[in-house]
Amino acid sequence: MGKLPLFIFFRDSRNVLKKDELGIEIANIGLPATFALMADPIASLIDTAFIGRIGAMELASVGISVAIFNQVSRITMFPLVSITTSFVAEEEATIKSTSEAEDYENVGSNQDFGLEMVPLTGSSDMKIAKSEDNRRRVPSASSALVIGCMLGILQTLFLISTAKPLLRYMGVKPESPMLKIAQQYLTLRSLGAPAILLSLAAQGVFRGLKDTKTPFYAIIIGDSVNILLDPIFIFTLRLGVNGAAIAHVVSQYLIFIVLIWRLVENVILLPPSFKELQLGRFLKSGFQLLVKVISTTSCITLATSLVARLGPKPMAAFQVCLQMWVATSLLADGLAVAAQAILASAFAKKDYEKIVAAASRVLQIGLLLGLLLSFFLAAVSQLASTLFTKDSDVLNLMNISFPVIAVTQPINALAFVFDGVNYGASDFSYSAYSMVAVAVVSISCLFILSSSHGYLGIWIALTIFMCLRVFVGLLRIGTGMGPWSFLRS
């Protein structure tokens, strides 16, 4: 491997886009995952475009509600889907390795007696034994769905009961006309939380099985329905922003129904005993990622709160720009999904050669993708801004944000990919506690720069936040610490 782990980032850089076995595996997992991850932000952008036609006040109100909903959801959904992906991938790799070894022994022993064995297939649908029920027994799948259901119900109850205090914390004053609109939207949107958490648990199972196409198809169906229902509920039925919330909730339950229908065809979801639920294992790793997500969420939530205090128009501009920032950055999150699934499987098999090759390849592709996104956003930013609002003040503020959004794309891409690499190594504790340090520095920057530079200062602080995330990811692997200690041997 070499004595300098830092060299992993430059390994085989000439072959970054080579269509070899690894490149095809990354593409088969990463591309559908990318499209799936992009679908919801794009649907949200379309929601934003429809709402923006109602007025700047409604756009700002929904922006605050969406920010609260998304940040609360991040606390639960990212630990759930990330842990599920790693655990299912590890179980699948272990089962396959054991089955292949047993099959090899059985073939050898039966050949001595002149018996013929039916060979196992080499696909992800490999049958361990011939039976009437050929579905996989994956205990982590059942665990994820049970936990997802509980978390979804708790999230709904929490958001409904605390909607008004949360909005006040975000800077919406009691006498503001934004309060009633935002509260109604947040309450309705929260009814979809159980479907979202269950859908994410199911997506984590499919990702662990290296199947990202099924979630993609389900999300496309759900989001297409959302887009079709938006103009009907908002304008035809004259429900306004409430119609947008209802359309979104309907789409989320539809996504869950499609995913669970496909999942029961491939996985046995009812474990034979309570012990197989592995709730303790999920909760331990989940707590570590919860620390990370709270740290990340606190930075974004604080930034949104600081912008909300500047008024409705800065908030409207920030809402649109943040949606674009997240939507484009999530392109790299598809790479992170591929990295996590491949690395979790490789770590379970202790295939260090593949670990190094996969980690270096996804990081290099992530950097290249970030550069391409920078050029793309720089080219379309002026045109894109007019799709969301005609308000000149909001447009001027959006034009301030666009250069920052474009320049930070390579940084954002690497930050997402580093997360996937660390999750693939099950390095949840480092991911959590390093993010606490990042959040402390970033929150300080948010207060200082928002006071001195206002709206622009908040975007600069968010850029510092993403740079620090890349640094801690680089530090872990580049110095060969934790699960990467084999790089120093």
Side-chain angles (χ1 to χ4, degrees):
M1 298 292 179
K3 294 185 178 181
L4 291 176
L6 189 64
F7 285 158
I8 186 177
F9 303 110
F10 307 102
R11 174 173 171 153
D12 297 328
S13 56
R14 294 180 180 179
N15 300 324
V16 60
L17 298 178
K18 186 177 180 180
K19 295 181 180 179
D20 54 8
E21 183 179 353
L22 177 59
I24 292 172
E25 186 176 15
I26 292 172
N28 286 340
I29 300 173
L31 288 177
T34 298
F35 294 141
L37 289 164
M38 283 292 297
D40 190 60
I42 289 173
S44 295
L45 283 172
I46 295 173
D47 275 350
T48 303
F50 280 122
I51 294 168
R53 298 298 174 182
I54 302 175
M57 181 66 68
E58 287 77 6
L59 183 60
S61 302
V62 170
I64 296 174
S65 296
V66 169
I68 293 173
F69 183 88
N70 287 344
Q71 299 312 318
V72 172
S73 296
R74 283 174 63 89
I75 293 174
T76 51
M77 70 184 193
F78 280 106
L80 178 62
V81 73
S82 297
I83 292 169
T84 303
T85 300
S86 291
F87 287 180
V88 171
E90 290 170 5
E91 287 179 354
E92 181 77 352
T94 302
I95 290 171
K96 281 187 176 182
S97 298
T98 303
S99 300
E100 288 170 357
E102 291 176 354
D103 183 63
Y104 177 79
E105 292 175 0
N106 291 335
V107 169
S109 61
N110 285 315
Q111 281 178 343
D112 293 336
F113 296 94
L115 298 176
E116 183 180 354
M117 294 293 292
V118 178
L120 297 175
T121 62
S123 68
S124 60
D125 294 321
M126 180 174 59
K127 297 176 178 59
I128 297 173
K130 245 185 169 182
S131 65
E132 294 181 2
D133 190 350
N134 291 320
R135 296 179 297 167
R136 296 174 175 87
R137 183 175 296 280
V138 185
S140 293
S142 300
S143 304
L145 290 170
V146 170
I147 294 172
C149 182
M150 293 189 297
L151 290 177
I153 294 172
L154 289 174
Q155 182 176 323
T156 296
L157 296 175
F158 172 76
L159 287 173
I160 291 176
S161 61
T162 62
K164 187 174 289 186
L166 287 172
L167 288 166
R168 289 180 179 176
Y169 170 77
M170 293 294 287
V172 181
K173 298 179 180 179
E175 66 274 10
S176 173
M178 295 169 57
L179 180 61
K180 182 179 179 180
I181 299 172
Q183 185 177 356
Q184 289 178 345
Y185 183 89
L186 181 57
T187 300
L188 287 172
R189 183 79 176 262
S190 67
L191 297 177
I196 293 174
L197 269 297
L198 283 166
S199 297
L200 286 166
Q203 288 183 53
V205 176
F206 281 114
R207 289 178 183 182
L209 298 174
K210 298 183 180 180
D211 175 9
T212 52
K213 292 181 181 178
T214 299
F216 169 61
Y217 296 143
I219 290 170
I220 288 298
I221 292 171
D223 285 346
S224 297
V225 170
N226 183 19
I227 293 169
L228 290 173
L229 292 178
D230 265 340
I232 296 174
F233 287 170
I234 295 173
F235 302 114
T236 304
L237 299 180
R238 298 183 180 180
L239 296 176
V241 296
N242 292 338
I246 295 170
H248 192 87
V249 170
V250 170
S251 71
Q252 293 303 318
Y253 278 96
L254 180 58
I255 291 171
F256 166 65
I257 291 171
V258 174
L259 283 173
I260 203 70
W261 168 57
R262 294 295 298 162
L263 191 59
V264 296
E265 293 181 349
N266 296 281
V267 176
I268 299 173
L269 295 180
L270 295 177
S273 66
F274 182 79
K275 292 181 179 179
E276 287 197 18
L277 282 175
Q278 306 180 70
L279 295 180
R281 188 183 180 208
F282 265 82
L283 292 175
K284 178 182 178 182
S285 298
F287 174 77
Q288 292 172 337
L289 279 189
L290 181 63
V291 171
K292 174 183 173 135
V293 173
I294 290 175
S295 300
T296 305
T297 300
S298 63
C299 294
I300 304 298
T301 303
L302 176 61
T304 305
S305 177
L306 291 172
V307 174
R309 285 168 168 76
L310 298 177
K313 292 188 176 181
M315 185 62 225
F318 185 79
Q319 158 68 3
V320 175
C321 292
L322 187 64
Q323 293 268 13
M324 294 183 65
W325 200 50
V326 171
T328 52
S329 298
L330 282 177
L331 282 168
D333 212 20
L335 276 175
V337 172
Q340 182 179 3
I342 294 170
L343 288 174
S345 178
F347 269 105
K349 298 176 181 178
K350 297 184 179 180
D351 187 350
Y352 297 124
E353 185 65 27
K354 186 168 185 178
I355 291 170
V356 173
S360 59
R361 185 75 67 89
V362 293
L363 288 167
Q364 291 164 11
I365 295 174
L367 179 59
L368 181 61
L369 176 62
L371 292 171
L372 291 174
L373 286 172
S374 289
F375 289 116
F376 173 76
L377 287 175
V380 305
S381 59
Q382 294 297 323
L383 175 63
S385 61
T386 59
L387 297 175
F388 299 98
T389 183
K390 299 297 183 182
D391 190 295
S392 59
D393 293 331
V394 176
L395 287 172
N396 289 334
L397 289 168
M398 289 172 65
N399 289 333
I400 293 174
S401 309
F402 280 136
V404 179
I405 295 173
V407 170
T408 55
Q409 287 308 304
I411 301 168
N412 295 354
L414 285 175
F416 279 111
V417 176
F418 268 121
D419 282 345
V421 170
N422 284 327
Y423 296 163
S426 294
D427 199 5
F428 299 124
S429 59
Y430 176 78
S431 296
Y433 301 120
S434 63
M435 186 57 67
V436 172
V438 168
V440 170
V441 176
S442 301
I443 289 172
S444 300
C445 292
L446 276 167
F447 281 117
I448 294 170
L449 292 173
S450 63
S451 298
S452 59
H453 293 82
Y455 181 80
L456 177 60
I458 293 171
W459 278 105
I460 295 173
L462 288 176
T463 302
I464 294 172
F465 168 63
M466 297 305 293
C467 288
L468 290 174
R469 290 181 62 178
V470 172
F471 173 75
V472 296
L474 183 70
L475 180 67
R476 185 65 160 180
I477 302 174
T479 56
M481 296 188 294
W484 302 95
S485 60
F486 70 89
L487 293 173
R488 293 186 276 109
S489 60

